[in-house]
Amino acid sequence: MIEPKKGVSPNNNTTIQFICKDGSSTDKFYFYPLDTPTFTLNMQQHCTIQRSAKERNLVIVMGKEEAALQESVKLLNLNGDFMSRMIQNPYATSLTALGKVKNFVENQLINGLLDNDAVSAEESMRQIESLRVSEDAESVVNSLRSHDDQGFELITHIELPKKIEFYRERPITKDIWNSFKDPEGRIIKVNNALQAIFRGGLEPELRKEVWKYLLKYNKWHFTTNENKTHRKKLEDEYYKMKMIWMSMSDDIMSRFSIFTEHRNLIEKDVIRTDRSHPFFQNGKHNYLQLMTDILTTSVIYNFDLGYVQGMSDYLAVLLVTMEDEVDTFWCFVGLMERVHKNFDMDQIFIRNKLTQLRDLLMIINPKFVRYLESHESGHMFFCFRWVLVEFKREFSFNEIMRLWEVLWTDVPCENFLLLFSLAVLDRQANIIMNNNFGLTETLKHINNLSMTINLDEMLTEAESLYHQLAILQDKLPTNIRDILGFNNE
């Protein structure tokens, strides 16, 4: 931070003092009036400078990555507690530590050679030289690391095989669902059921039952009666937790400041979550109050996680489907088990997911990765919302139900959300590059995709990408195989 002041030094010169984030400060620097603009211009070559909206003489100095994050946050339409956490933990250089992909390949190759003296020096130098003189940037970016049987470091050019065409099937009907059960109601063909849900989704009237299995509220191996008994036990547990906070007097509540903060944030978020949906406009059942009660009870259930903005987006879809307080709560618990790391304070999980998305994109469209890196967008911040609430704000309610039930199957891999994101992003690559979009334009373009994405097309495209990469799995870098679960097979 810098603080310029005029008229307080001899000869009416300008003084500038640097104030660090920890509160410490430097000595004052004195500038002749005409020298200040030159100093400022030189600083702008290395960082981003922005005048404070609160203090006229205060100027904020940020690294370019932190400035990019600030811009991303403004355009994500996600306000409040969650985004303030992100600002306090800026992404900085963690996602762009690879820098130019050409340099990455060269450096990794050199390190590999230093670690393995069995590699022919002549061959190694030839490989490095071929990288240095290559005029085809795409082939450089697409040169990835692999190892031969002796563990030698090699450079391999990966060419994707011909795309395999897939088609969406019809949603599962009640008769098909019942065919997966035994006479007592156990789901005895779990894998068949998951594959069928992945391929076609569910008829809407089945969601109230099947989602309970997908979100681990019902147990696949329980009979119908055993699941009813299990539900009764969880119902009693829910109301005991709810009674804890409902029985608190105002005096007691005043001494639970953190809980009160969660409660206040919940109340603010609930009244602005999906209010345009007819379900929440029905005053007869007061579903907004139900959302508040469920989210507040979830804070009691998992106080370490608490409540973070974005959770209400998930809950709204569950409540519309279940239409029952207890069932919605326990399905929400199951869903949070899947996505709770999205809301961790340190944000390491989402950072890793964005890194993984960038790495996957490097495989299928290296030219686009190079473009993003050169336009201050290699950090992939513009995909942040996709990961945080799993495309909730990009699709209608009916479509997001279809997408989520596909994701919950974990077919063909647990990271199918990244493949889906990859398919959507790759479809936009030429538009972004042909229009020479920078960070701001890319963010706006990605946000404007909301309600325009063809869900079925992107699901089949994502499935096709998975199988293209599966064919090449022996040639893929270890991190890509890990992302797609190939190392677990």
Side-chain angles (χ1 to χ4, degrees):
M1 302 172 68
I2 60 175
E3 186 179 15
K5 296 180 180 179
K6 294 183 178 180
V8 295
S9 62
N11 302 320
N12 203 33
N13 291 337
T14 298
T15 64
I16 294 179
Q17 185 175 21
F18 289 84
I19 304 173
C20 302
K21 288 184 178 180
D22 62 4
S24 61
S25 60
T26 66
D27 294 332
K28 294 180 180 179
F29 296 89
Y30 294 86
F31 291 84
Y32 290 112
L34 295 179
D35 289 341
T36 306
T38 302
F39 174 76
T40 303
L41 288 173
N42 277 301
M43 282 200 67
Q44 287 176 328
Q45 295 178 11
H46 306 283
C47 55
T48 298
I49 299 177
Q50 178 179 327
R51 185 169 294 280
S52 170
K54 297 181 179 180
E55 176 60 48
R56 186 174 62 87
N57 288 329
L58 188 65
V59 178
I60 310 298
V61 178
M62 295 179 287
K64 291 187 179 295
E65 295 298 332
E66 187 174 355
L69 177 57
Q70 292 265 19
E71 184 64 25
S72 302
V73 169
K74 287 192 294 184
L75 293 175
L76 283 173
N77 296 321
L78 287 170
N79 304 311
D81 171 70
F82 180 75
M83 300 316 299
S84 68
R85 293 184 182 187
M86 276 297 293
I87 294 300
Q88 292 166 7
N89 295 276
Y91 209 155
T93 58
S94 60
L95 287 184
T96 53
L98 296 183
K100 297 292 183 182
V101 179
K102 178 177 178 180
N103 291 337
F104 165 67
V105 175
E106 289 184 21
N107 292 337
Q108 292 298 332
L109 177 60
I110 292 171
N111 289 335
L113 297 179
L114 292 175
D115 293 339
N116 195 338
D117 56 13
V119 176
S120 165
E122 180 179 349
E123 176 63 12
S124 301
M125 291 304 297
R126 185 190 65 78
Q127 292 173 347
I128 294 174
E129 185 63 22
S130 68
L131 287 174
R132 294 185 189 278
V133 302
S134 173
E135 295 180 355
D136 184 354
E138 184 169 341
S139 68
V140 172
V141 178
N142 213 16
S143 296
L144 297 169
R145 299 171 59 203
S146 65
H147 295 79
D148 65 9
D149 292 338
Q150 286 74 43
F152 295 164
E153 192 81 359
L154 303 174
I155 294 295
T156 305
H157 178 78
I158 295 181
E159 294 183 3
L160 293 179
K162 183 179 179 181
K163 182 185 297 185
I164 305 171
E165 296 295 334
F166 288 91
Y167 301 92
R168 298 297 295 163
E169 297 178 3
R170 296 180 66 84
I172 292 179
T173 62
K174 189 171 184 62
D175 287 341
I176 295 175
W177 171 248
N178 287 336
S179 72
F180 301 132
K181 301 179 181 179
D182 70 7
E184 294 183 300
R186 299 180 186 88
I187 311 299
I188 56 175
K189 299 178 180 178
V190 176
N191 289 335
N192 291 355
L194 293 175
Q195 288 287 342
I197 295 168
F198 173 78
R199 297 293 312 133
L202 298 161
E203 289 284 356
E205 61 269 18
L206 278 179
R207 289 187 175 124
K208 191 173 293 188
E209 177 184 356
V210 180
W211 281 18
K212 295 174 185 177
Y213 289 92
L214 293 174
L215 296 174
K216 300 182 180 180
Y217 175 26
N218 279 358
K219 307 300 180 184
W220 299 95
H221 61 282
F222 277 11
T223 65
T224 300
N225 288 334
E226 286 171 338
N227 270 318
K228 286 181 179 178
T229 302
H230 180 62
R231 184 197 183 280
K232 182 62 173 66
K233 177 183 176 182
L234 292 180
E235 180 180 24
D236 294 341
E237 186 175 339
Y238 171 75
Y239 283 115
K240 287 178 182 177
M241 289 186 291
K242 184 176 180 179
M243 187 57 62
I244 290 174
W245 64 266
M246 289 194 71
S247 61
M248 289 184 185
S249 65
D250 291 342
D251 180 58
I252 294 176
M253 192 75 77
S254 67
R255 289 188 288 276
F256 284 81
S257 58
I258 297 178
F259 178 81
T260 302
E261 289 174 6
H262 286 307
R263 171 80 173 175
N264 292 339
L265 183 57
I266 288 169
E267 291 176 345
K268 290 178 182 178
D269 277 359
V270 163
I271 61 175
R272 61 191 182 195
T273 300
D274 295 308
R275 290 305 304 275
S276 61
H277 194 284
F279 183 87
F280 296 106
Q281 295 176 352
N282 186 346
K284 180 179 178 181
H285 298 288
N286 199 4
Y287 287 121
L288 294 180
Q289 185 60 51
L290 273 184
M291 282 188 67
T292 301
D293 290 353
I294 292 169
L295 289 170
T296 304
T297 306
S298 74
V299 174
I300 297 294
Y301 177 80
N302 189 344
F303 196 77
D304 289 343
L305 179 62
Y307 175 80
V308 183
Q309 188 180 12
M311 292 180 178
S312 60
D313 282 272
Y314 286 104
L315 179 64
V317 178
L318 296 176
L319 185 56
V320 168
T321 301
M322 295 297 161
E323 300 181 291
D324 177 88
E325 182 175 1
V326 174
D327 291 342
T328 301
F329 174 82
W330 288 111
C331 284
F332 180 73
V333 167
L335 182 49
M336 284 299 104
E337 283 296 313
R338 293 183 60 90
V339 303
H340 70 91
K341 291 182 180 179
N342 287 2
F343 303 102
D344 284 350
M345 179 73 76
D346 57 21
Q347 286 304 296
I348 289 176
F349 184 77
I350 285 189
R351 299 178 194 184
N352 288 341
K353 289 301 176 185
L354 292 174
T355 301
Q356 291 172 349
L357 177 58
R358 196 260 330 275
D359 290 346
L360 288 168
L361 186 62
M362 190 184 298
I363 297 289
I364 72 160
N365 197 336
K367 180 180 178 181
F368 188 33
V369 172
R370 183 171 178 271
Y371 174 89
L372 293 173
E373 292 282 357
S374 66
H375 287 73
E376 299 183 334
S377 303
H379 41 60
M380 311 296 285
F381 291 149
F382 50 86
C383 298
F384 182 87
R385 188 170 74 184
W386 293 358
V387 177
L388 176 65
V389 290
E390 298 190 341
F391 283 86
K392 163 63 164 52
R393 302 192 182 184
E394 321 311 318
F395 291 104
S396 68
F397 252 68
N398 289 335
E399 288 179 319
I400 203 60
M401 290 175 180
R402 292 170 54 207
L403 174 60
W404 283 1
E405 63 198 15
V406 167
L407 297 178
W408 296 341
T409 66
D410 290 328
V411 176
C413 65
E414 292 182 359
N415 277 319
F416 191 70
L417 174 66
L418 292 182
L419 288 168
F420 185 84
S421 303
L422 186 67
V424 176
L425 190 56
D426 187 50
R427 183 69 64 90
Q428 303 304 315
N430 287 337
I431 296 175
I432 291 172
M433 290 189 289
N434 291 342
N435 286 281
N436 197 31
F437 285 165
L439 172 62
T440 301
E441 293 84 4
T442 299
L443 281 163
K444 290 180 178 178
H445 177 74
I446 293 299
N447 270 11
N448 288 338
L449 294 178
S450 179
M451 305 301 163
T452 69
I453 302 170
N454 187 308
L455 177 59
D456 286 339
E457 281 187 12
M458 292 300 98
L459 284 172
T460 54
E461 181 71 16
E463 186 177 3
S464 179
L465 286 170
Y466 174 84
H467 287 282
Q468 283 180 286
L469 295 171
I471 293 172
L472 296 173
Q473 61 182 279
D474 292 339
K475 298 180 180 179
L476 295 174
T478 301
N479 66 315
I480 300 297
R481 295 200 301 269
D482 286 339
I483 293 169
L484 300 177
F486 296 148
N487 287 334
N488 299 328
E489 297 178 356

